[in-house]
Amino acid sequence: MEALTPTQTQIKTEIEKRRTFAIISHPDAGKTTLTEKLLLYGGAINLAGSVKGKKTAKHAVSDWMEIEKQRGISVTSSVLQFKYNDCCINILDTPGHQDFSEDTYRTLMAADSAVMVIDASKGVEAQTIKLFKVCLLRKIPIITFINKMDRDSKNPFELLEDIENVLGINTCPVNWPIGSGKEFKGVYDRDSRNLLLFTANNGQKEVEENIISVDSPNISDYIDEYQLKDFYDDISLLEGAGDSFDLQAVRDGKLTPVFFGSALTNFGVQPFLERFLDITTPPLPRESDIGIIDPVGSPFSAFVFKIQANMNKAHRDRIAFMRICSGKFEKDTEVYHVQGERKMKLSQPQQLMAQDREIVTEAYAGDIIGVFDPGIFSIGDTVCMPSEKFKYRGIPTFAPEHFAIVRQKDTMKRKQFVKGTTQIAQEGAIQIFRELDAGMEEVYVGVVGTLQFDVLKYRLNNEYNVEIIMEGLPYKFIRWIKNRDLDVKKLDLASDTKRIEDMRGNKLLLFTSMWSIDWALEHNKDLQLEEFGTAEF
Ligand code: G4P
């Protein structure tokens, strides 16, 4: 192998420091609290505990959109970066609600691993199964943090069983809790055979971490006899029956290491972070249409995984978020936008700390940058050096499951209405269609989860000053007409089937039942239908 130049060595060193992960959970499981504690270790923010909630005026740094504040849910994903020891960590926040699982999936495309936060008193909650399953689709390492051990929890074995049965992934506890709630004594680290003792602290945010060996003769000074007995029983059961830690299985997304702790009291967070950094890898090679792209060996390349308009109302701007997959990004370098087929400079590249932005002059594979988007980027687009010209694999769209027809209340606001719905659709927050050959007076909106309708209504009103009337439609299935030269108007269709087109002019059909799909196929022998975006799963 040829020796690396000093510049290549510097790039390699920087990339090897990178860890980029998404954090997912059911709302209220403690994702925001855990994120803030992790940031505290990196010194990225001075004050944790500004967790959102009606009771407090402060909001967590990652929760910046109005609607999120009002509803206490995370709708969009934001990106946070911090340094810890020698690592540079990028955290991608994801929406906690399953109605936004498509956004979570897109964010996971930009992540190299995922942290799954689970509330110990609740286990895997029904509403989040879809969200977690989306995580499994990506086949990236999933690390589980079982939170709120300072509250009464479910039996830890039951919690593991829950994860295994419901999500279909094997578990391997890295540590093991002793009691929970008022009886919570701490966790046992199976690797070092040390106990990290939990000290009740009358609600203070920080607790003292006290470590003793499991073989210490003084153990009974800290833990009652009956709890010790249960603990020893648990441990022998674990050693006998549990999956052993297999780093490769973790990296292949087949086994999830499980940590017990309490984010609010900052208990077990640091050991979690340190093990997490050992388990996960720096950015790995990614597939493209010209083969595998190595993060270190290749020059700058990135893909767009998220587009967000109006992040700052005062600026009325649109930002494309890119995940750098290889090399080093340098401000003012000419790059190539593959889908747009043109050379360009990325305008105002910035890294975001929630609402605060910092212009970046350089960034490396693993990092996320936001660039000003004058409306040229789409989700999944590749940007690389002009000499390279390749495409990363696209990001699939989920088939919408709910449909509504939307029109503006005040017909004078037509321009804003069209702009608003189009921009929100370009961001991937909704999908829009129109009746064949119709204008944009009425827009058909398709969503994966019905909360997306609320977001549309709120954002049109708040950001575009347009009030809308929305009527639910009975359609349940959408199919793309694969043979483009077919005369759609001549199709023989059941009376409840609707012909529509998307913004690119692709023709689609909306159906109320599987029966009408079969009917359409039977009566039109040439017709070829495709379900949206599922090809890649
Ligand atoms: P999310 O982002 O997953 O939605 O959850 P978030 O961190 O906002 O936490 C939800 C609630 O759970 C918050 O309480 C938070 O303080 C609490 N919480 C988080 N981690 C722990 C933990 O380890 N132990 C305990 N006992 N509670 C925890 P809240 O009442 O909704 O807000 P606040 O009044 O505390 O701000």
Side-chain angles (χ1 to χ4, degrees):
M1 235 173 80
E2 280 176 46
L4 297 178
T5 64
T7 313
Q8 287 168 326
T9 309
Q10 185 257 348
I11 293 176
K12 182 170 187 278
T13 312
E14 284 297 331
I15 294 174
E16 282 171 356
K17 286 180 187 172
R18 263 50 187 185
R19 295 290 189 284
T20 304
F21 69 94
I23 178 159
I24 65 169
S25 79
H26 182 267
D28 268 355
K31 184 179 59 159
T32 315
T33 313
L34 181 65
T35 307
E36 293 225 335
K37 300 294 171 178
L38 291 173
L39 291 177
L40 261 187
Y41 283 108
I45 49 171
N46 299 321
L47 178 73
S50 52
V51 178
K52 64 180 185 265
K54 285 161 213 79
K55 282 172 261 163
T56 127
K58 285 180 207 147
H59 296 282
V61 276
S62 51
D63 278 359
W64 43 263
M65 268 185 83
E66 278 297 311
I67 192 162
E68 296 185 334
K69 288 181 204 161
Q70 286 190 353
R71 289 176 170 253
I73 54 169
S74 295
V75 177
T76 51
S77 325
S78 48
V79 185
L80 304 162
Q81 187 182 63
F82 70 100
K83 295 201 166 53
Y84 179 75
N85 290 345
D86 210 21
C87 284
C88 179
I89 300 163
N90 294 303
I91 304 185
L92 305 173
D93 191 14
T94 62
H97 198 286
Q98 66 162 359
D99 278 15
F100 304 106
S101 34
E102 193 173 11
D103 196 33
T104 297
Y105 187 77
R106 287 194 288 258
T107 303
L108 286 167
M109 295 293 285
D112 297 324
S113 61
V115 170
M116 173 163 85
V117 184
I118 289 178
D119 183 332
S121 66
K122 300 196 171 128
V124 178
E125 292 169 76
Q127 310 93 294
T128 354
I129 294 173
K130 189 170 171 185
L131 205 64
F132 290 161
K133 288 209 161 161
V134 157
C135 205
L136 292 179
L137 286 174
R138 266 281 281 134
K139 297 195 175 71
I140 51 175
I142 303 170
I143 324 290
T144 305
F145 187 85
I146 300 192
N147 190 30
K148 304 198 188 183
M149 289 308 299
D150 59 312
R151 295 236 185 110
D152 288 339
S153 83
K154 281 173 112 171
N155 178 307
F157 284 107
E158 260 176 54
L159 288 165
L160 298 186
E161 223 175 87
D162 233 21
I163 298 171
E164 301 211 343
N165 293 343
V166 182
L167 302 180
I169 182 168
N170 293 337
T171 58
C172 172
V174 173
N175 65 19
W176 193 253
I178 304 168
S180 71
K182 287 200 174 66
E183 299 285 297
F184 184 49
K185 294 291 156 56
V187 291
Y188 164 65
D189 181 73
R190 295 177 68 202
D191 206 29
S192 66
R193 302 188 78 250
N194 283 333
L195 293 173
L196 184 62
L197 296 169
F198 177 77
T199 326
N201 68 342
N202 299 324
Q204 290 155 23
K205 299 280 180 209
E206 302 284 329
V207 285
E208 221 173 273
E209 286 181 352
N210 219 338
I211 296 174
I212 60 163
S213 159
V214 73
D215 304 315
S216 159
N218 303 333
I219 194 166
S220 52
D221 293 352
Y222 302 100
I223 303 172
D224 297 334
E225 205 176 312
Y226 79 95
Q227 265 192 307
L228 261 183
K229 185 182 170 306
D230 285 351
F231 165 61
Y232 291 137
D233 286 350
D234 283 0
I235 293 304
S236 60
L237 206 65
L238 268 185
E239 303 300 339
D243 279 287
S244 54
F245 187 82
D246 173 349
L247 187 60
Q248 199 50 51
V250 173
R251 289 186 175 166
D252 293 342
K254 292 181 182 145
L255 175 74
T256 176
V258 179
F259 294 78
F260 292 84
S262 159
L264 185 65
T265 56
N266 211 352
F267 181 81
V269 176
Q270 193 170 15
F272 164 74
L273 176 58
E274 290 187 353
R275 282 300 289 277
F276 174 83
L277 296 175
D278 286 343
I279 292 169
T280 52
T281 59
L284 296 173
R286 288 200 176 225
E287 249 180 84
S288 80
D289 62 346
I290 56 158
I292 299 290
I293 305 295
D294 182 65
V296 176
S298 309
F300 167 77
S301 71
F303 72 90
V304 178
F305 69 97
K306 181 180 171 63
I307 292 172
Q308 176 88 54
N310 301 328
M311 287 183 59
N312 182 341
K313 258 182 99 177
H315 292 234
R316 291 242 152 235
D317 53 4
R318 196 165 115 148
I319 307 268
F321 288 85
M322 294 180 187
R323 145 88 199 217
I324 303 178
C325 299
S326 65
K328 178 181 181 181
F329 166 76
E330 279 170 294
K331 188 172 173 280
D332 297 329
T333 304
E334 191 164 69
V335 297
Y336 187 72
H337 174 212
V338 180
Q339 280 76 3
E341 297 181 1
R342 65 173 184 179
K343 288 184 194 170
M344 59 185 300
K345 280 186 187 165
L346 297 177
S347 183
Q348 301 169 27
Q350 44 199 290
Q351 252 161 0
L352 289 106
M353 178 69 186
Q355 242 162 354
D356 296 330
R357 304 166 186 197
E358 234 178 67
I359 296 286
V360 285
T361 47
E362 54 180 54
Y364 297 87
D367 289 342
I368 310 295
I369 52 170
V371 305
F372 174 73
D373 174 18
I376 57 168
F377 291 114
S378 292
I379 286 170
D381 283 4
T382 302
V383 173
C384 57
M385 296 311 284
S387 55
E388 306 286 307
K389 297 190 185 165
F390 62 82
K391 275 188 212 157
Y392 283 110
R393 192 189 273 249
I395 301 180
T397 346
F398 286 22
E401 290 164 27
H402 307 274
F403 300 89
I405 196 159
V406 175
R407 53 182 84 89
Q408 72 267 40
K409 258 187 193 161
D410 177 354
T411 45
M412 303 296 284
K413 297 252 173 91
R414 190 182 130 74
K415 224 173 121 189
Q416 292 97 311
F417 173 73
V418 173
K419 187 173 169 198
T421 42
T422 313
Q423 285 194 340
I424 295 171
Q426 280 168 338
E427 288 171 37
I430 51 164
Q431 293 179 38
I432 56 172
F433 312 94
R434 64 181 163 215
E435 227 171 303
L436 280 195
D437 300 328
M440 287 278 285
E441 285 74 26
E442 289 186 330
V443 173
Y444 284 71
V445 176
V447 296
V448 177
T450 52
L451 261 182
Q452 290 174 268
F453 285 139
D454 295 7
V455 171
L456 172 68
K457 195 167 185 168
Y458 180 91
R459 289 191 53 189
L460 281 175
N461 197 351
N462 196 261
E463 294 166 25
Y464 298 89
N465 202 15
V466 180
E467 276 191 75
I468 53 165
I469 303 164
M470 194 182 295
E471 255 173 65
L473 294 170
Y475 305 108
K476 291 202 170 61
F477 305 96
I478 189 162
R479 293 289 183 272
W480 182 52
I481 300 176
K482 214 173 148 188
N483 29 346
R484 285 164 178 250
D485 41 3
L486 206 70
D487 187 348
V488 179
K489 284 185 199 137
K490 287 197 180 136
L491 288 175
D492 183 7
L493 299 170
S495 59
D496 59 356
T497 303
K498 187 105 202 152
R499 298 163 172 87
I500 53 166
E501 62 185 343
D502 66 16
M503 294 301 111
R504 292 197 181 110
N506 295 317
K507 309 286 185 280
L508 302 104
L509 296 176
L510 283 177
F511 300 97
T512 54
S513 64
M514 288 303 283
W515 178 87
S516 339
I517 301 181
D518 292 342
W519 205 92
L521 288 170
E522 263 167 44
H523 289 78
N524 304 277
K525 291 297 174 206
D526 293 344
L527 179 65
Q528 290 175 28
L529 297 177
E530 251 189 1
E531 210 174 322
F532 252 29
T534 47
E536 296 221 4
F537 300 144

